[in-house]
Amino acid sequence: MRARRVAKPLLVAAILIAALAIRVATIEGSHYRAHNDAAIYNKLAGEISQTGDYDTRKGAGGSRGPTAYFPPAFPYFLAVVDLLDGHEAGGRTAVPPERIAQAVLGTATVALTGLVALEAFGPAVALCSLILAAVYPVFIESSGALLAENLLVVFELAAIWTVLRARRASLPYAWIAAAGILSGLAALTHENALLMLLPLGVGVWAVRLQGGGRALGWALTAPALLVAMAVITIAPWTIRNAVELHHFVPVSDETGITLRGTYNPVSAAFKPVPYKWRFYFLIPQDHGLRKIAPTMTELQLGDRLQSRALQYISAHPGAPFTVALHNTLRMFELEGTYAWQASATAERIPIATARIGVFSFWVVCVLALVGALTPLARRAPRWLWTIPVLFGLSVVLINVETPRFREPIDPFLILLAGCALAAAAGRIGRWRGSPPVSD
């Protein structure tokens, strides 16, 4: 019995070491050039490592003045990497160590997937989910690119785990406070992560103090603590934005540029992928705005583009439904070959690698469907499953670029697939007469 107890931690350690080795080997064996958002993250990291903040001279979209377009957590994470490896100036030479840092984040995602599964479903599902996450090609290919979602998923899963862990803690307030901080860090990575506070609030409300406690007091204080810690975590960046931009910008002012990129006549008429997002520079109707952008602040430019996007929606009220349909198809890799190849090209992922990722995603989806029907899946609290739904809803009305924008959802598919494999292993064990895996 003691040997089995020792073997389990060793097995987990071996899986995590293998996960890291796979990701590092993939990175070392592939060519990568930071492009699009990745190039900007690399540039911002260099600015932060040298000055402590973004360059205040130029905003997004060619505007003037300070910027708050890109949320700060991922650029600051890369800046720490640059400082540790001596690439304070950023640039091309900083990319290789920054990619190794992505492998570390990817391995953390594997570990946290296993921890969430352990708390929600038990050891059997945890082991299956851990192995799946370690070898899932989509996670491996994402770990080789500079994607803010790599950091987002770590904070997302860590916040979920702390809430689940609070259910059996003698001092749940500490775990709930940690969940609030992690939720705030997730929001500082991607603003739509603020939506997590809704299901996590339900999760902490369901926690009960051991030894009793006033239900009404707990129902008020637990969610309030969660939200308060998230707000406190976000507050320094919000204050920075108020000082630099002279406006209340909690995290990012990306709404205008982002909305206009989808809701415009050029994107709507694009035949291969209707309503595929594009930068406003590539929209002929906005060329005049591009010329005067240097005379505008980032907020002024964003407001102008947001107004044009809303005017387009007003003139085409069915557009959001069409956008949601096509983005949902893209999320599940059902829009056609062009869609996922365009996403891979934008993220500088080799087409052959992306193709493997698409097929492996479909396999995981089938396993997830099977897993959802097992009794094991019903062990998890219902609020857990609202998190991927909210993340999905937050992007399907604007833009879905796979696997990047689906990355916060994929761990939940892995969890359900883990349920399917654990249930199958249990049946095989019973059929062979061997003792079942402990749940």
Side-chain angles (χ1 to χ4, degrees):
M1 181 64 70
R2 186 176 181 181
R4 286 185 64 185
R5 289 178 180 176
V6 173
K8 287 182 180 180
L10 290 177
L11 176 60
V12 170
I15 293 170
L16 293 178
I17 291 171
L20 179 61
I22 291 169
R23 284 153 177 78
V24 171
T26 301
I27 289 169
E28 295 296 335
S30 62
H31 172 74
Y32 177 81
R33 181 171 67 88
H35 185 63
N36 293 335
D37 286 357
I40 297 175
Y41 285 131
N42 171 259
K43 176 177 176 292
L44 291 173
E47 294 170 1
I48 292 167
S49 62
Q50 294 178 85
T51 67
D53 196 3
Y54 296 173
D55 186 343
T56 59
R57 294 170 296 178
K58 189 175 182 180
S63 60
R64 61 175 175 82
T67 179
Y69 184 85
F70 287 91
F74 190 60
Y76 271 85
F77 171 80
L78 293 181
V80 171
V81 175
D82 291 350
L83 288 170
L84 290 175
D85 61 38
H87 292 91
E88 291 91 345
R92 186 178 301 176
T93 58
V95 171
E98 288 172 353
R99 293 182 74 201
I100 297 297
Q102 305 310 297
V104 175
L105 289 177
T107 306
T109 294
V110 174
L112 286 164
T113 301
L115 286 173
V116 170
L118 180 63
E119 293 293 334
F121 308 102
V125 178
L127 181 60
C128 292
S129 299
L130 192 74
I131 295 172
L132 275 175
V135 300
Y136 183 37
V138 174
F139 281 173
I140 295 170
E141 71 182 54
S142 296
S143 294
L146 301 186
L147 303 175
E149 289 74 15
N150 292 337
L151 183 61
L152 169 62
V153 174
V154 170
F155 289 140
E156 172 198 22
L157 292 174
I160 293 169
W161 176 67
T162 52
V163 172
L164 291 171
R165 180 64 179 79
R167 298 184 301 176
R168 58 184 181 88
S170 57
L171 294 173
Y173 280 118
W175 291 95
I176 292 169
I181 293 170
L182 290 164
S183 299
L185 291 171
L188 289 173
T189 309
H190 255 286
E191 196 169 24
N192 60 345
L194 284 170
L195 294 171
M196 283 202 311
L197 289 173
L198 295 172
L200 293 182
V202 174
V204 300
W205 173 78
V207 174
R208 291 291 182 268
L209 283 171
Q210 290 188 3
R214 294 183 178 178
L216 179 60
W218 179 259
L220 294 175
T221 56
L225 176 62
L226 176 81
V227 174
M229 295 308 297
V231 170
I232 290 171
T233 303
I234 295 169
W237 183 251
T238 306
I239 294 170
R240 175 265 182 195
N241 290 341
V243 172
E244 295 287 351
L245 279 70
H246 308 293
H247 282 80
F248 176 68
V249 179
V251 177
S252 169
D253 58 4
E254 65 179 351
T255 305
I257 292 176
T258 302
L259 277 178
R260 182 58 174 170
T262 298
Y263 294 99
N264 64 82
V266 180
S267 295
F270 190 61
K271 295 296 183 182
V273 184
Y275 285 104
K276 186 179 185 303
W277 192 90
R278 64 189 60 233
F279 195 46
Y280 87 97
F281 279 16
L282 303 177
I283 303 171
Q285 293 82 353
D286 293 334
H287 284 178
L289 194 57
R290 175 184 179 182
K291 293 178 181 179
I292 64 172
T295 68
M296 308 169 71
T297 66
E298 188 173 84
L299 284 167
Q300 290 171 337
L301 176 61
D303 287 345
R304 189 76 66 87
L305 289 169
Q306 178 176 308
S307 177
R308 293 188 178 191
L310 294 177
Q311 288 174 5
Y312 180 87
I313 294 173
S314 178
H316 305 83
F321 299 98
T322 305
V323 169
L325 171 62
H326 286 282
N327 278 336
T328 300
L329 291 173
R330 291 179 69 191
M331 182 177 291
F332 288 95
E333 309 291 9
L334 299 173
E335 183 78 289
T337 303
Y338 180 92
W340 63 260
Q341 287 187 350
S343 294
T345 301
E347 297 170 20
R348 289 299 187 262
I349 295 173
I351 297 299
T353 301
R355 182 180 292 109
I356 294 172
V358 169
F359 284 107
S360 69
F361 167 72
W362 287 338
V363 171
V364 167
C365 281
V366 172
L367 287 173
L369 286 173
V370 175
L373 301 176
T374 64
L376 286 171
R378 292 192 286 274
R379 291 183 179 182
R382 292 182 180 180
W383 60 261
L384 181 69
W385 305 116
T386 65
I387 294 176
V389 173
L390 289 174
F391 269 111
L393 291 174
S394 71
V395 296
V396 295
L397 289 171
I398 302 173
N399 181 31
V400 171
E401 191 173 87
T402 58
R404 177 184 173 187
F405 293 155
R406 198 189 63 230
E407 195 172 343
I409 298 172
D410 277 9
F412 298 90
L413 299 176
I414 294 290
L415 293 175
L416 288 173
C419 290
L421 294 181
R427 290 196 175 205
I428 292 172
R430 288 190 292 271
W431 176 66
R432 296 179 61 183
S434 58
V437 179
S438 174
D439 289 329

